[in-house]
Amino acid sequence: DTAVSQTPKYLVTQMGNDKSIKCEQNLGHDTMYWYKQDSKKFLKIMFSYNNKELIINETVPNRFSPKSPDKAHLNLHINSLELGDSAVYFCASSPTSSGTGVYEQYFGPGTRLTVT
Amino acid sequence: AQKITQTQPGMFVQEKEAVTLDCTYDTSDQSYGLFWYKQPSSGEMIFLIYQGSYDEQNATEGRYSLNFQKARKSANLVISASQLGDSAMYFCAWVIQGAQKLVFGQGTRLTINP
């Protein structure tokens, strides 16, 4: 009964490669997010989608491209991987971003990306 | 820019003692929410407690309570009767109503000693 799932959990790859991380939520939420946690444990939002539409893009390099095929899925594709992309990437979801309230975000287990 | 600060990089507490983790934020917005998340060594982010800016009562969830002082812009997490399983990183996060973008503090690493 996993609420927010991510695959893969671990990803080790070489510089210059292209990789994808997948995220799925079964909570019926409208909004999904990608966060990056760096080696110092600092968490920062990258993107958010509401009903398949991009609503937040936080000065992330163009090499990162999120895609939401439907509101239950949000994938992250990364081109030309660099050493600095090594981090833990968290997917999250929340009921809505309609502007009428504040909602808890439910996080996936994270994907640890290591670029060598 | 909105900012959220956790001034304690690490804390060590004896088991069964209460512990307070500090969190201050800097915003001119009136409608916002504050969250606390726990991240154990296994890495997942676990929601603990939430406080809305208009909530008059401090939030409580089991052993967790939030000491919300709006005028001082602080939202400290209080864990009563600490347990060994409470050892983890704890993150305070702030979100403006409608934006849904969580802004996280730097985190506090809590270690509970037996």
Side-chain angles (χ1 to χ4, degrees):
Chain A
D1 271 24
T2 305
V4 183
S5 59
Q6 293 178 230
T7 53
K9 188 165 174 61
Y10 300 97
L11 187 51
V12 181
T13 188
Q14 291 185 323
M15 282 176 57
N17 284 347
D18 303 339
K19 290 293 178 186
S20 292
I21 305 171
K22 295 187 176 181
C23 177
E24 176 181 1
Q25 56 95 2
N26 62 6
L27 299 166
H29 290 167
D30 293 332
T31 307
M32 296 183 72
Y33 311 80
W34 280 109
Y35 288 86
K36 179 181 180 180
Q37 186 174 41
D38 63 23
S39 58
K40 295 184 179 177
K41 298 290 189 181
F42 184 65
L43 272 151
K44 188 174 179 189
I45 191 165
M46 300 172 69
F47 302 103
S48 79
Y49 270 73
N50 178 250
N51 279 321
K52 303 193 295 176
E53 188 177 331
L54 179 68
I55 55 174
I56 294 175
N57 182 341
E58 284 284 305
T59 60
V60 178
N62 291 338
R63 298 183 296 103
F64 290 80
S65 53
K67 281 194 172 47
S68 181
D70 55 62
K71 73 175 192 178
H73 295 84
L74 179 61
N75 303 324
L76 183 65
H77 188 76
I78 316 170
N79 289 327
S80 304
L81 278 155
E82 300 177 358
L83 293 177
D85 297 332
S86 295
V88 179
Y89 292 84
F90 284 97
C91 178
S93 72
S94 68
T96 187
S97 67
S98 66
T100 60
V102 174
Y103 300 95
E104 173 194 340
Q105 294 186 16
Y106 296 79
F107 281 76
T111 295
R112 182 175 294 277
L113 172 64
T114 304
V115 182
T116 62
Chain B
Q2 293 87 4
K3 191 176 173 183
I4 189 157
T5 304
Q6 295 179 250
T7 57
Q8 306 149 311
M11 285 192 71
F12 295 84
V13 173
Q14 281 303 117
E15 191 180 7
K16 298 181 185 174
E17 288 183 354
V19 57
T20 298
L21 305 181
D22 295 341
C23 174
T24 58
Y25 56 95
D26 182 13
T27 182
S28 56
D29 295 290
Q30 297 300 311
S31 299
Y32 53 87
L34 292 147
F35 295 85
W36 278 91
Y37 284 84
K38 173 183 178 182
Q39 187 176 40
S41 57
S42 51
E44 71 268 33
M45 295 289 288
I46 301 167
F47 165 75
L48 295 178
I49 197 166
Y50 162 76
Q51 179 86 40
S53 59
Y54 291 116
D55 294 341
E56 294 185 356
Q57 301 273 7
N58 284 342
T60 61
E61 288 286 349
R63 293 187 299 113
Y64 304 108
S65 61
L66 205 153
N67 183 1
F68 182 49
Q69 299 187 44
K70 192 170 180 177
R72 299 179 63 181
K73 296 184 180 177
S74 75
N76 299 337
L77 177 70
V78 180
I79 306 174
S80 63
S82 58
Q83 302 171 357
L84 295 178
D86 294 333
S87 294
M89 284 287 289
Y90 287 80
F91 292 95
C92 181
W94 174 93
V95 62
I96 186 173
Q97 181 174 316
Q100 301 302 332
K101 178 178 79 171
L102 283 174
V103 178
F104 283 88
Q106 310 94 312
T108 296
R109 183 173 295 280
L110 175 65
T111 302
I112 307 298
N113 295 316

